[in-house]
Amino acid sequence: APSPSLPPLAMAEEKKRKLKVLCLHGSGTNKEFINFLQMSMSCLRTLCEWHYMDGIVEADPFPSIKPFLKLIKQDTFFSWLKKSEDGTKYTGFDEACEAAITEAKRLDADLLLGFSQGSIVASLVGQQLFSDGKLKGVISVCGVDPKRDGDKLTLPSFHIIGKTDSLRERSIKLYDTFSGTKELVEHEAGHKFPSSKETDIAKKLKKFLDGL
């Protein structure tokens, strides 16, 4: 809410300022690809001011994105975390979180949005910044759980899950990790952003953002 100590004109301008959101992409993609994915839900564009960054671990492109590679110019791909050889856990949390915290502070971000693996880092970084009074909440799109115990997430969160997503159960596990104000909505497709046709999700997200 605008500060009551501000003069009327400054209060009006502060009220109009869009929330800044730092977006963290999924595994084996990049900041240009999450920008491309987000276009499917064009209503998101009008709600906030969106910013993007690349992960810190150079990686091969995720197999499912290969049909879309000709649509983006960026030809290097990244992940946030490394998987153990048996795939049962992640490593590199400290380095990934440090990079995202630095960028979030530089932008003076209000929220973080994470897609898939990016939602892990967004959640952990979001909690730290929220506890320090420097962030309002987090948005998770097809998020996945961090494959570790002990994380206590109390910041406000909005979770978008695909009904046919093969990682849906891991999205629910991530949702269950949060104990603060939270909302879960489902879209009709898989591991992707919802389409602009799903206006109910946009309305619920706007309500969530307005309440922060």
Side-chain angles (χ1 to χ4, degrees), residues 128-145:
Q128 183 172 331
L129 293 175
F130 176 73
S131 298
D132 293 342
K134 296 178 180 178
L135 200 82
K136 298 178 183 292
V138 66
I139 302 167
S140 172
V141 183
C142 298
V144 292
D145 65 293

Side-chain angles (χ1 to χ4, degrees), residues 155-169:
L155 74 164
S157 58
F158 189 91
H159 302 256
I160 302 173
I161 295 176
K163 287 183 178 179
T164 63
D165 188 354
S166 61
L167 299 177
R168 184 175 179 278
E169 291 305 313

Side-chain angles (χ1 to χ4, degrees), residues 38 41-48 50 113 160 193-194 202 205:
Q38 211 180 50
M41 195 175 186
S42 56
C43 54
L44 286 174
R45 301 286 182 167
T46 63
L47 294 178
C48 302
W50 303 94
L113 179 148
I160 302 173
F193 278 80
L205 178 55

Side-chain angles (χ1 to χ4, degrees), residues 20-24 53 80 93-94 96-105 108-114 117-140 148 151-159 174 177-181 208 212:
K20 289 183 182 179
V21 185
L22 174 60
C23 301
L24 309 183
M53 69 177 291
W80 293 97
F93 287 96
D94 290 346
C97 289
E98 182 180 353
I101 286 172
T102 299
E103 183 65 4
K105 287 182 175 179
D108 193 20
D110 297 295
L111 292 101
L112 296 177
L113 179 148
Q117 190 188 93
S119 65
I120 298 174
V121 179
S123 299
L124 299 176
V125 167
Q127 181 60 49
Q128 183 172 331
L129 293 175
F130 176 73
S131 298
D132 293 342
K134 296 178 180 178
L135 200 82
K136 298 178 183 292
V138 66
I139 302 167
S140 172
R148 68 179 193 176
D151 295 311
K152 296 181 179 179
L153 304 174
T154 61
L155 74 164
S157 58
F158 189 91
H159 302 256
L174 178 65
T177 305
F178 284 79
S179 59
T181 301
F208 170 79
L212 295 176

